[in-house]
Amino acid sequence: MVSQVYFELKFAPPSSQSGEQYVRTQYPVEVKAYRQNRNRVSIGLVVLIDADTSTPQERLDWLARTLADDEQQNRQPDEAIAIFVPKRNIETWIHYLQGESVNEEDTYSKFPNNEANCKPSVENLAEQCRSQNILKEAPPSLQLACGELQRLLQLL
């Protein structure tokens, strides 16, 4: 049997608000939509938000508060909702995946017009996460993301 996979990517509209504000306003909306549809179709929700100068846990707590403010329960263990929170920003992970030594305090440069170059590294990371073989020297927030991926895969 072949299952059909459908992706809907949503990005913060350019110049309208910060990415953080966009996630803050959209997260409760998307969780509600997920919860309304999860028993009819096999779906998951993936959220990506930079920790910036906060910790990943502070971001997770912050997202939980946005649900509480919307009178919704926090993410439940049986819900296919994964939250990826790179410490500082996503470029930290990409530079690590490309073999650089990184820390989670510095800001790393973006890859304008060259984003696709990281695809092989990301595919390698996905396989490491699926096989639970992530390297111990990986940034801690990246290790947490692998746990989120495992969680999602088990529920889909």
Side-chain angles (χ1 to χ4, degrees), residues 74-113:
N74 195 11
R75 174 175 70 145
Q76 300 298 302
D78 66 336
E79 293 181 313
I81 301 173
I83 304 172
F84 301 103
V85 187
K87 176 65 175 115
R88 200 65 185 138
N89 55 33
I90 191 70
E91 287 78 18
T92 304
W93 290 358
I94 295 169
H95 282 268
Y96 166 77
L97 293 171
Q98 293 182 337
E100 294 179 39
S101 177
V102 298
N103 65 65
E104 293 191 308
E105 300 305 319
D106 292 341
T107 301
Y108 293 91
S109 62
K110 296 186 181 300
F111 301 90
N113 303 317

Side-chain angles (χ1 to χ4, degrees), residues 104-154:
E104 293 191 308
E105 300 305 319
D106 292 341
T107 301
Y108 293 91
S109 62
K110 296 186 181 300
F111 301 90
N113 303 317
N114 207 13
E115 293 88 354
N117 281 350
C118 68
K119 184 179 179 185
S121 298
V122 171
E123 289 171 345
N124 183 34
L125 170 66
E127 183 51 41
Q128 286 179 27
C129 289
R130 273 193 290 278
S131 65
Q132 297 182 343
N133 213 11
I134 187 73
L135 299 175
K136 289 183 182 12
E137 66 268 6
S141 65
L142 186 56
Q143 293 178 28
L144 290 172
C146 281
E148 288 288 307
L149 178 61
Q150 281 292 345
R151 177 182 190 279
L152 186 65
L153 293 175
Q154 290 171 4

Side-chain angles (χ1 to χ4, degrees), residues 55-65 74-75 83 85:
T55 67
Q57 187 58 55
E58 288 170 332
R59 278 291 188 242
L60 292 171
D61 294 343
W62 175 78
L63 289 172
R65 281 192 302 277
N74 195 11
R75 174 175 70 145
I83 304 172
V85 187

